[in-house]
Amino acid sequence: MVHFILADNQELTRFAEESMIRQTSTGTFRRATDRAGLVELLKENENSVVLLDFTLFDFADEEQLLIVSERFVMAHWILISDQLTPRLLRKMVYSSHRFSIVFKDGPLKDLREALQTASEHRRFVCQRAMELILAQQQEDERPELLTATETEIVKSIARGLTTRQIAEERFSSVHTITTHRKNIFRKLGINTAHELTMYALRAGLVDSSDFNI
């Protein structure tokens, strides 16, 4: 028999969770209204499935939740909330296989599947959460953005200025501009001034009347 702990202080959704548990499981459930109460219930049954609304509960941050989850390694967690940031989702999913993810405004089938998989000590991550995690991963893996100085140098190169001319224009040394130029090429993954000029055009840094190809 599965033991559920409802750590959700939103009465309406807690009622829905209780109804879903009755429909899909022969398990029992108890309620926790704060972190201390949740810990006490986990002490009584470490093999529990916890339905947690992280954003409305009294966890200070995800690190505090991870500490509690590491203390009770037999428990499985279903994070259910309206607002779970991509970074938080990614951290929880990558930190442990004992965290399932469901959104409160998602379809009921997501919660039903999460309850079933958690009962079998497996993880369920809803489609929306996966999309947010993948989008965040792509964002983190993007090449670093150009600095304001580098952006201005890109514009100058696109206008056809030489390294020496850019140095004179910016009251800087040729060596400094050369270093900036190398960093720009590295960040953008390009090798020639022509490619840089085309980048500047696509990025809207210059228009066709401002640059030479």
Side-chain angles (χ1 to χ4, degrees):
M1 179 179 292
V2 182
H3 182 72
F4 295 91
I5 299 176
L6 306 185
D8 189 335
N9 289 324
Q10 203 167 57
E11 187 173 1
L12 184 60
T13 54
R14 190 175 64 241
F15 176 78
E17 291 161 6
E18 292 174 1
S19 299
M20 186 72 71
I21 291 171
R22 291 191 182 98
Q23 293 172 19
T24 61
S25 172
T26 57
T28 61
F29 61 83
R30 296 179 66 182
R31 301 168 186 163
T33 59
D34 55 27
R35 181 163 46 91
L38 173 59
V39 168
E40 290 304 313
L41 289 177
L42 283 169
K43 287 180 181 178
E44 295 177 17
N45 194 326
E46 296 190 7
N47 202 34
S48 297
V49 174
V50 182
L51 279 77
L52 172 67
D53 185 339
F54 177 76
T55 57
L56 294 182
F57 222 63
D58 63 339
F59 282 100
D61 52 33
E62 63 268 25
E63 293 297 337
Q64 200 171 68
L65 172 56
L66 286 171
I67 290 171
V68 173
S69 72
E70 289 304 316
R71 180 178 175 185
F72 299 100
V73 296
M74 299 299 293
H76 192 99
W77 304 75
I78 301 177
L79 299 188
I80 176 168
S81 181
D82 290 324
Q83 298 176 343
L84 293 172
T85 67
R87 289 189 184 278
L88 184 146
L89 289 171
R90 185 178 175 187
K91 184 166 187 177
M92 303 314 293
V93 167
Y94 288 173
S95 295
S96 172
H97 288 284
R98 293 181 291 111
F99 283 99
S100 292
I101 309 291
V102 176
F103 284 93
K104 281 192 173 182
D105 57 355
L108 282 176
K109 66 180 182 62
D110 283 353
L111 178 57
R112 186 178 295 111
E113 189 165 352
L115 289 170
Q116 179 61 40
T117 55
S119 300
E120 299 168 358
H121 301 286
R122 295 184 294 114
R123 176 167 69 181
F124 172 79
V125 180
C126 69
Q127 181 64 30
R128 177 178 164 194
M130 285 302 303
E131 290 173 355
L132 288 171
I133 291 169
L134 291 174
Q136 182 64 58
Q137 182 171 326
Q138 292 170 355
E139 177 74 15
D140 290 346
E141 291 175 352
R142 284 192 317 168
E144 26 179 348
L145 299 176
L146 301 179
T147 66
T149 297
E150 289 168 344
T151 299
E152 291 304 313
I153 292 174
V154 167
K155 293 179 182 178
S156 297
I157 295 173
R159 284 167 34 220
L161 298 185
T162 66
T163 299
R164 184 172 296 280
Q165 289 172 324
I166 296 172
E168 292 174 354
E169 184 180 70
R170 299 188 61 82
F171 303 100
S172 187
S173 70
V174 171
H175 174 73
T176 297
I177 300 303
T178 299
T179 300
H180 279 307
R181 184 184 177 108
K182 289 179 180 178
N183 288 336
I184 291 167
F185 278 36
R186 174 182 57 79
K187 288 181 179 182
L188 299 179
I190 59 178
N191 299 300
T192 68
H194 175 78
E195 290 177 303
L196 183 65
T197 300
M198 297 309 296
Y199 163 81
L201 179 61
R202 292 192 302 269
L205 301 179
V206 294
D207 60 44
S208 57
S209 62
D210 292 333
F211 66 90
N212 301 315
I213 297 180

